[in-house]
Amino acid sequence: MEQKTENNNNQQKTKSFAENFIYELKNFHIDKDFKLFLIVGLCTGIAGGINSTVFNNFLSDVYNLSASGRGIVEFPRELPGVLIVIVLGILSFLGDIRIAVIGMVCASLGMMGLGIFSPTFASMLVWMMVLSLGTHIFMPLSAGIGMNLSQKENYGARLGKFSAYNLVATIIGYGIVWFGFKYLGLTYKTAFLIASFFYLVAAGILTMMKDKKPKGKKVRFVFRKKYTLYYILSIVNGARKQIFLTFAPWVLINVYNLDPPTFAILGLIISLVSILTRTIVGNAIDIKGERFVLSLEAIVLIIICLGYSFAADIFPVTIAVIIIAACYIIDNSLSVVEMARSTYIKKIAVSPEDVTPTLSAGTSFDHIIAMSIPFFGGLLWASMGYKYVFLVAAFIAVLNLILSLKIKID
């Protein structure tokens, strides 16, 4: 029986995504909750793909923000991430899946508000924060739910599978933006409403999953000395990540005038590359470990930061924009490495109940620094140019490498 199961697993690994998807549908009753969770990944992928593709252009076209103004917007956008450890602590009695439902409903309302109820900059900020609250609630919970539906030996592979489904759906989101804006006259309002619909569907699918009741009193807040390295990694990663999230697309928009359809094409390339990298990273976590994966990521990020900084100084404009776009693609393709930090805390956790509150604490620490970095980055851009913003990011990536090399798992 064990040999037969192993053979089936090996056959599953050789299937293409489409073949694997058909197989999952035919055998939906087996591992039902995890398969429902994969559908949630499809819905959030479509919504997230639409949002990430149009949001920066939306800010630029509708509100005419400068680089420093764009940096300031990140403060309210990331504030829910700072507060997420408190929010999840207050809601902990509901269980992870029910809290995730609340997160998806908030995300849906936030996208709807951006599309319909944002005539002024101030009103836009309110709905942006509602959206941010919803996505940040789901952020640590998605990893926790995925690992709760897995075994220790396949945490990486299962999270990688969820990420792959999420990524394929993101491609659909990019396709909606590209085709819609290029051929159908799609507006920002319609795009946000489509994303709102898919977040709402994700909430509905989550209600169909079984939520395990916590045994005894649910742990709300966890701060242990043993998890100090994880907290510091979260802070350093948040600083570097926020520079990329805020200013990498802003360089392409305001310096090289890229429009939403072009960003959709870049997003499509990112997704195609990431389908491969997410599977590789998931397996690498299981085989080589978190220390190897996070250290390698840091080295690649250092190179990317230098590419952002010096491409325009060394090459003509046409080549420089290609290099910066390539850096943008590679950087976004590496976002899946985030799950290595999640599996790291899962493996060193004193008890299983520590995982979700510790992940949420890491998210809050991540966003404390992420909330302020864009403000100072915007000022640095305005006074010295964007090159120096990414030189700071390179320095942070070096710190990330040093810290990643300190990871040890008994």
Side-chain angles (χ1 to χ4, degrees):
M1 179 63 71
E2 291 180 0
Q3 184 64 39
K4 184 176 180 180
T5 302
E6 183 178 347
N7 290 337
N8 289 337
N9 290 336
N10 291 334
Q11 289 174 3
Q12 279 293 96
K13 291 179 182 178
T14 63
K15 292 178 182 290
S16 68
F17 179 86
E19 291 173 329
N20 189 56
F21 184 71
I22 294 171
Y23 176 86
E24 300 284 6
L25 287 177
K26 290 181 178 178
N27 297 274
F28 193 81
H29 61 287
I30 303 173
D31 206 8
K32 179 182 175 182
D33 280 347
F34 185 72
K35 289 170 183 176
L36 287 171
F37 192 52
L38 292 180
I39 297 174
V40 171
L42 291 174
C43 294
T44 57
I46 294 173
I50 293 172
N51 182 39
S52 64
T53 306
V54 303
F55 185 69
N56 281 289
N57 289 92
F58 169 69
L59 293 178
S60 180
D61 293 344
V62 177
Y63 303 105
N64 300 310
L65 296 183
S66 63
S68 58
R70 178 64 184 89
I72 292 171
V73 165
E74 287 304 291
F75 186 92
R77 193 170 82 90
E78 297 298 344
L79 181 59
V82 175
L83 301 175
I84 201 63
V85 65
I86 299 173
V87 173
L88 292 182
I90 293 171
L91 298 176
S92 61
F93 69 95
L94 293 174
D96 289 354
I97 291 177
R98 290 189 179 91
I99 300 174
V101 172
I102 294 174
M104 291 295 92
V105 171
C106 287
S108 178
L109 290 174
M111 293 301 299
M112 184 184 299
L114 287 174
I116 302 177
F117 306 116
S118 298
T120 65
F121 183 72
S123 59
M124 181 278 294
L125 291 178
V126 172
W127 291 111
M128 179 190 69
M129 290 179 68
V130 175
L131 167 64
S132 180
L133 176 63
T135 56
H136 281 98
I137 285 175
F138 190 68
M139 194 180 297
L141 291 177
S142 62
I145 293 170
M147 288 186 288
N148 285 338
L149 297 172
S150 310
Q151 301 298 320
K152 184 175 181 179
E153 61 273 9
N154 67 353
Y155 286 156
R158 295 272 274 196
L159 289 181
K161 188 172 185 177
F162 174 80
S163 294
Y165 273 66
N166 183 263
L167 189 57
V168 169
T170 303
I171 295 175
I172 298 173
Y174 295 147
I176 290 171
V177 171
W178 178 80
F179 190 80
F181 274 85
K182 199 169 184 67
Y183 297 109
L184 301 179
L186 191 69
T187 63
Y188 291 121
K189 173 182 176 180
T190 308
F192 287 143
L193 289 177
I194 294 172
S196 174
F197 169 76
F198 279 102
Y199 276 132
L200 194 60
V201 172
I205 298 296
L206 282 165
T207 62
M208 299 167 63
M209 296 173 59
K210 294 180 181 178
D211 202 354
K212 295 180 180 178
K213 293 282 186 181
K215 296 179 180 179
K217 188 177 180 180
K218 179 76 173 180
V219 178
R220 293 189 173 198
F221 305 102
V222 173
F223 300 101
R224 299 187 192 275
K225 184 178 180 180
K226 184 176 182 179
Y227 307 152
T228 300
L229 180 57
Y230 169 74
Y231 298 143
I232 299 173
L233 280 168
S234 296
I235 292 170
V236 173
N237 179 66
R240 191 277 314 162
K241 178 181 67 178
Q242 202 59 42
I243 291 176
F244 281 17
L245 286 174
T246 306
F247 297 110
W250 211 247
V251 170
L252 293 169
I253 291 169
N254 281 270
V255 179
Y256 297 102
N257 301 312
L258 268 63
D259 57 9
T262 305
F263 267 98
I265 293 173
L266 290 179
L268 176 61
I269 297 171
I270 290 167
S271 299
L272 293 175
V273 172
S274 297
I275 289 173
L276 180 63
T277 59
R278 293 193 180 202
T279 302
I280 292 174
V281 169
N283 290 331
I285 290 171
D286 293 334
I287 298 170
K288 302 292 268 184
E290 288 78 3
R291 183 174 183 267
F292 173 85
V293 171
L294 292 173
S295 300
L296 183 59
E297 178 208 28
I299 293 171
V300 174
L301 290 174
I302 293 169
I303 297 171
I304 290 173
C305 290
L306 296 177
Y308 277 121
S309 296
F310 296 110
D313 293 339
I314 300 173
F315 301 98
V317 173
T318 52
I319 297 177
V321 68
I322 293 173
I323 292 173
I324 292 175
C327 290
Y328 179 77
I329 290 168
I330 296 169
D331 168 38
N332 281 275
S333 299
L334 291 175
S335 62
V336 66
V337 177
E338 179 63 34
M339 67 182 174
R341 278 174 280 273
S342 299
T343 58
Y344 166 58
I345 202 65
K346 179 74 172 180
K347 290 177 181 178
I348 69 168
V350 174
S351 69
E353 289 75 19
D354 279 6
V355 176
T356 295
T358 304
L359 290 174
S360 63
T363 300
S364 288
F365 292 147
D366 171 323
H367 287 77
I368 289 172
I369 190 71
M371 192 169 62
S372 55
I373 281 285
F375 172 75
F376 294 107
L379 295 178
L380 184 60
W381 181 326
S383 61
M384 301 181 68
Y386 71 83
K387 175 170 77 173
Y388 294 93
V389 175
F390 290 101
L391 285 177
V392 171
F395 173 74
I396 296 171
V398 172
L399 289 179
N400 202 5
L401 173 60
I402 294 170
L403 291 166
S404 297
L405 291 172
K406 294 181 178 293
I407 289 177
K408 292 180 181 179
I409 300 175
D410 296 331

